[in-house]
Amino acid sequence: MNQGFLPICRQDMEERGWEQVDFVYVSGDAYVDHPSFGHAIITRLLEAHGYRVGIIAQPDFRNCESIMEYGEPRLGFLVSAGNMDSMVNHYSVSKKRRKTDAFTPGGVMGKRPDYATIVYCNLIRQVYKHTPIIIGGIEASLRRLAHYDYWSDKLKRSILLDSGADLISYGMGERSIIEIAEALDSGIAVKDITYIDGTVCKVRDLENVYDAVVLPSYDEMKEDKLAYARSFYTQYCNTDPFSGKRLVEPYARHMYVVQNPPSKPLSQQEMDRVYSFPYMRTYHPSYEKDGGVPAIQEVKFSLISNRGCFGGCSFCALTFHQGRILQTRSHESLLAEARQFIWEPDFKGYIHDVGGPTANFRQPSCKKQMTHGVCKNRQCLFPKPCKNLEADHKDYIKLLRELRQLPNVKKVFIRSGIRFDYLMADKDDTFFYELCKHHVSGQLKVAPEHISDAVLDKMGKPRNEVYQAFVKKYKKINEKLGKEQYLVPYLMSSHPGSTMKEAIALAEYLRDLGYMPEQVQDFYPTPSTISTCMYYTGVDPRDMKPVYVPKNPHEKAMQRALIQYRNPKNYDLVLEALKQEGRMDLVGFDKKCLIRPRQMAGEKGAFGKNKKNGAHTDGKNNGSSVRTVRTKKKAIRNVHKKKVKA
C-alpha cells in the first residue's frame, strides 16, 4: 500500500482491510493527489465524509475488465474525463492530433479515448447494468444539455443520454456530490434523486418537476439553429445559484433532461476546508518509472486563491462551470499551504502563481451578489465597468505581502492572468506599483485578444482604448520604478466578428508596436460558450443579430498568418490576404508595409532575396537602383527581436 494515497487497485483496498469500496472514481487523468486536480478534491472530500473510494485512473478503454478492479462498488461509479475536455486534450483547433498529454505519465498521448466520459460509462454498463453512474468534471459539465460539438460539426444531445449515466454533477461539485452520496447511502434509488441543486437528471414525465423553464426540444434545435441560440442564451442567463431557474430540455419518446439550479457558492470556511485535506501534493509513485506526470510542474508551487469569474469573456466557459460569483480562500489557508511546500528540496524560492481564473479578483464584484446573485442581462465589466462594481485590491495586496515575507521565498509570481480593465477601474494605484515592483520578472502577460472594437464587442472584452491606457500606465510606473519591463499580449485570430479587414488592422497594430508574437491562439469553439454559439448559429445569442464567422480553414489560416506576418513561412498567406482585401499598399519597402514584393528586377525569392548570391535589399531605393548587402541568415526567432517595451 502506498501510504497516504487513496487505493488505485484491489491490493491497496485489501491492505486497508476493506472488502468493498463505496465509490469507484474513474478518471481520464493519471492520479495526482493535488488540489488542482478535480479527482483529488472529490475523492478527498468523500473520504472526509467517511466514504471509501477507490480510483481507477486511465483504464484500458478497450477492455471492460479494466473497470472491474474493485468489483461492484456499494454506492456507485463516479466518472470524469479529467481536468480537460478529452477532445481539447487530443486535438488542436485545426483538428490535428496533439503529440503529448500533460496529464498522462511521461506525457504519452492516447491513454484516454475521444469523448472519454461516454466511453468510460459505456464500458461500465457492459458489466454493471444497474449500478448508479454519476458523471462530472468539465467535459460532462459543459455538455450537460444539447451542445454544439466542433469536432463532429454536429449538435449533440445531452451527454447524460449518450453516456447512459444516471446523474451529472455539474460545476465544481463539492456540495452536490455529498448530497448524492448521502441520498444513495440512505437507500434512495438513483432514479429518484431528481432534486439536488448542481445536478442534471432525466425523467419520463414532468409531473414532479416544478418551477421549470421548458427549452426548445432537441429535435427543434437540430432543425433550427436560431432555436438553439435562444435556448443557449436562456441557459446562460440561468447560471446563477440565487436566481437561476430549473431548465427542462425535451427529447423524443417521453424523455426529458432536467437541469436543476446551480449549487450555492462555497463560503470561505468551506473553501478552506476543501484545501485542507491531506493531499500528497504530487502524482502517485507508481508513475515514477514512466517519468512522472508533467502537469504537476505547473501547479506544484502555485496557490489557488479563488474560483469563479465575473469577467464574462464570450469565448470562456467559466460562467457555465464555475459561475460568476467569486469564492475565495482565507489568508491563513493559503499561507498554511505555502508553508507545506517552501521547504521541499526542489523548491527554488519561487511561488509560481497566486490566483485562479483571474488572479486579481479577490471579492465579488458587488455586495448584493452573495444574497441576490449576479445580474442576468448585465455584465460587471463589459462593455464598461458597472457603477456598482467594487474594484479593490487591498486584500490581494495584503495576501501577497504576507507570502513574500515567508522564509525561503525569493519571489512570488502572478501567472494566471491580470484582468487589466479591473485594475484600471481601481482608483488606488498601490497594487499596480506592487505588481510591477515585486511580481513581474521582465515580462507581464496580458490578454487584450484584439484591437478592433467590433471584434472586442463580440468577445465581451473592453474597448481597445482601455488596453492602450493600461499600456501607458504600465510604462509610466515602470519608469518611475527604474525597471525595464515588457508586456506580452495574448491575441486571438478568427473569432466571430473578425473579418479580414480586422485581421489586417491587427497586423498593422503589431507592425507599429514592433512586436511579433511567437504564439497565436486561433479561436477554438469549445462547448458551452457564447462564442461557440455564434460560430455554430451565425448569430449573437445576446441580441440574435447576425455575426460574420470565419469558418473556412484557408481564411482562418490567412487571419492567423497576418498576426505573424514577419514569419517567412506565412508570406504567401499574407500576400493573398492583402491582395484579396485590396491592400497592396502594405506590400513594398516603406516602413508601413507588412511584406516586401516577392520579385524585383534581377532578383528571385521572397523578401527580395537573391538565391544565387545570398544578398538581400536593404529597402533603400533611390529610384534608380537597389543597394544590396550581405548578411548571415537569421533564425525566425531573431527576425524581429524588438519586444513590446512598456
Side-chain angles (χ1 to χ4, degrees), residues 346-408:
D346 53 344
F347 180 70
K348 305 301 182 185
Y350 302 101
I351 295 178
H352 295 158
D353 188 29
V354 184
T358 300
N360 58 324
F361 287 174
R362 277 287 298 173
Q363 62 183 25
S365 58
C366 66
K367 286 187 173 65
K368 78 174 188 68
Q369 286 186 7
M370 296 309 291
T371 53
H372 295 88
V374 297
C375 300
K376 275 194 173 186
N377 301 311
R378 295 175 62 187
Q379 292 290 337
C380 304
L381 286 166
F382 174 79
K384 293 182 179 180
C386 174
K387 63 180 181 180
N388 296 318
L389 177 73
E390 297 179 11
D392 190 342
H393 291 84
K394 292 185 182 68
D395 183 67
Y396 196 36
I397 293 169
K398 184 174 184 290
L399 171 63
L400 293 169
R401 287 174 177 173
E402 290 169 342
L403 289 167
R404 293 201 303 266
Q405 294 303 311
L406 290 176
N408 212 32

Side-chain angles (χ1 to χ4, degrees), residues 190-444:
V190 69
K191 66 181 178 61
D192 295 326
I193 304 175
T194 60
Y195 53 86
I196 296 174
D197 285 352
T199 65
V200 178
C201 61
K202 51 192 175 186
V203 298
R204 288 289 180 182
D205 59 61
L206 300 179
E207 183 179 349
N208 296 315
V209 178
Y210 56 92
D211 295 337
V213 174
V214 179
L215 302 171
S217 71
Y218 174 67
D219 288 337
E220 185 181 347
M221 290 186 286
K222 276 203 306 181
E223 294 298 320
D224 183 4
K225 290 183 178 181
L226 296 184
Y228 173 71
R230 287 189 289 270
S231 175
F232 177 84
Y233 193 59
T234 300
Q235 296 171 46
Y236 187 84
C237 292
N238 285 278
T239 54
D240 183 80
F242 294 98
S243 62
K245 302 294 185 183
R246 188 170 284 101
L247 304 178
V248 173
E249 190 169 74
Y251 286 82
R253 297 186 297 277
H254 304 290
M255 177 64 72
Y256 302 89
V257 172
V258 180
Q259 176 184 299
N260 290 305
S263 293
K264 296 295 187 291
L266 298 184
S267 66
Q268 189 168 89
Q269 184 178 1
E270 289 169 326
M271 280 276 283
D272 287 353
R273 182 169 183 260
V274 165
Y275 287 88
S276 70
F277 297 140
Y279 302 103
M280 300 303 292
R281 299 192 60 80
T282 189
Y283 49 78
H284 193 275
S286 62
Y287 304 137
E288 202 66 61
K289 66 183 186 304
D290 300 312
V293 181
I296 192 64
Q297 299 305 318
E298 287 294 316
V299 299
K300 189 173 185 180
F301 302 124
S302 297
L303 296 167
I304 298 173
S305 68
N306 64 61
R307 66 170 58 162
C309 182
F310 52 80
C313 298
S314 301
F315 48 81
C316 180
L318 275 166
T319 296
F320 264 70
H321 190 57
Q322 290 192 2
R324 289 167 56 192
I325 294 179
L326 252 287
Q327 301 151 72
T328 60
R329 294 169 62 189
S330 69
H331 292 205
E332 293 76 15
S333 171
L334 290 157
L335 290 166
E337 184 178 353
R339 291 189 184 101
Q340 289 183 46
F341 63 68
I342 59 177
W343 301 112
E344 292 188 15
D346 53 344
F347 180 70
K348 305 301 182 185
Y350 302 101
I351 295 178
H352 295 158
D353 188 29
V354 184
T358 300
N360 58 324
F361 287 174
R362 277 287 298 173
Q363 62 183 25
S365 58
C366 66
K367 286 187 173 65
K368 78 174 188 68
Q369 286 186 7
M370 296 309 291
T371 53
H372 295 88
V374 297
C375 300
K376 275 194 173 186
N377 301 311
R378 295 175 62 187
Q379 292 290 337
C380 304
L381 286 166
F382 174 79
K384 293 182 179 180
C386 174
K387 63 180 181 180
N388 296 318
L389 177 73
E390 297 179 11
D392 190 342
H393 291 84
K394 292 185 182 68
D395 183 67
Y396 196 36
I397 293 169
K398 184 174 184 290
L399 171 63
L400 293 169
R401 287 174 177 173
E402 290 169 342
L403 289 167
R404 293 201 303 266
Q405 294 303 311
L406 290 176
N408 212 32
V409 172
K410 298 176 184 177
K411 198 173 184 71
V412 179
F413 291 106
I414 299 173
R415 295 172 60 188
S416 53
I418 294 294
R419 185 75 189 216
F420 61 82
D421 50 346
Y422 183 76
L423 180 55
M424 294 296 287
D426 190 348
K427 304 302 181 185
D428 184 347
D429 288 341
T430 303
F431 175 68
F432 213 147
Y433 273 88
E434 295 211 2
L435 171 69
C436 296
K437 186 175 182 179
H438 298 292
H439 305 290
V440 178
S441 183
Q443 297 180 346
L444 176 65

Side-chain angles (χ1 to χ4, degrees), residues 37-85:
F37 291 75
H39 61 253
I41 287 181
I42 296 301
T43 54
R44 287 296 186 183
L45 179 65
L46 286 166
E47 180 190 46
H49 280 78
Y51 296 101
R52 296 174 175 182
V53 186
I55 295 174
I56 300 179
Q58 298 186 317
D60 181 355
F61 55 90
R62 300 174 185 86
N63 184 357
C64 60
E65 290 185 5
S66 63
I67 51 87
M68 299 169 62
E69 183 68 28
Y70 303 96
E72 184 175 17
R74 184 173 71 90
L75 297 178
F77 283 91
L78 308 176
V79 178
S80 169
N83 265 21
M84 292 176 67
D85 185 292

Side-chain angles (χ1 to χ4, degrees), residues 93-94 150 315 448-451 455 459 489-500 502-504 506-507 510 517 519-525 531 535 548-564 570:
V93 64
S94 58
Y150 170 67
F315 48 81
E449 306 295 357
H450 215 282
I451 54 91
V455 180
M459 289 180 165
Y490 284 153
L491 300 168
M492 184 182 293
S493 62
S494 304
H495 188 276
S498 176
T499 68
M500 203 65 72
E502 281 80 26
I504 292 172
L506 181 55
L510 292 171
Q519 293 183 326
V520 177
Q521 175 60 57
D522 196 7
F523 168 63
Y524 203 153
S531 299
Y535 179 89
Y548 177 77
V549 179
K551 283 190 175 182
N552 182 281
H554 190 64
E555 179 187 356
K556 287 165 67 72
M558 286 193 287
Q559 290 207 22
R560 184 186 179 96
L562 280 161
I563 297 178
Q564 295 176 311
N570 291 334

Side-chain angles (χ1 to χ4, degrees), residues 153-209:
D153 193 27
K154 293 179 180 177
L155 187 72
K156 289 202 166 188
R157 304 190 304 171
S158 164
I159 194 171
L160 189 63
L161 301 181
D162 288 339
S163 66
D166 297 288
L167 289 171
I168 301 174
S169 170
Y170 73 87
M172 297 306 287
E174 290 97 345
R175 290 194 189 281
S176 59
I177 201 65
I178 296 304
E179 289 191 59
I180 292 168
E182 290 173 347
L184 291 170
D185 199 20
S186 69
I188 298 176
V190 69
K191 66 181 178 61
D192 295 326
I193 304 175
T194 60
Y195 53 86
I196 296 174
D197 285 352
T199 65
V200 178
C201 61
K202 51 192 175 186
V203 298
R204 288 289 180 182
D205 59 61
L206 300 179
E207 183 179 349
N208 296 315
V209 178

